[in-house]
Amino acid sequence: MLASDPIGYGVPVWPFADTADRAENALLSQVVPAVRSGTALNHAGVEVLRRTQAYGSAFWTLKLQVDGETRCREVAVGLTVSSRRVDC
């Protein structure tokens, strides 16, 4: 699990996380306040593909441009924040 998604637990887990993983985690930390408040996201390199509200949490699917890579991540924000990498 860690090797395939080293930031899924909200921190870049060393030694599994590379520089792109750390950059992705830093970008997510900037996105979470917008998800939590439900406001529009105006951030270069982040595209919102889908938004859903359920069970008191917000679920957003994001397309991220990180270190020259395109990555997609599903983010769940409620009392806690969790995420998982998904196919684009």
Side-chain angles (χ1 to χ4, degrees):
M1 170 70 183
L2 290 179
S4 65
D5 191 3
I7 67 167
Y9 292 102
V11 293
V13 179
W14 183 91
F16 303 105
D18 60 18
T19 54
D21 294 325
R22 288 183 185 85
E24 183 179 2
N25 188 63
L27 186 56
L28 282 175
S29 69
Q30 296 173 16
V31 168
V32 166
V35 177
R36 199 176 288 280
S37 67
T39 59
L41 181 63
N42 294 322
H43 195 292
V46 180
E47 180 184 347
V48 179
L49 301 177
R50 183 175 41 244
R51 295 178 194 205
T52 307
Q53 292 280 122
Y55 309 110
S57 295
F59 299 90
W60 285 21
T61 303
L62 306 171
K63 187 175 191 178
L64 310 165
Q65 299 298 322
V66 182
D67 280 358
E69 294 181 28
T70 300
R71 295 182 174 192
C72 289
R73 183 160 289 275
E74 189 174 74
V75 180
V77 178
L79 294 176
T80 61
V81 177
S82 62
S83 68
R84 65 184 181 122
R85 194 170 290 161
V86 295
D87 293 331
C88 287

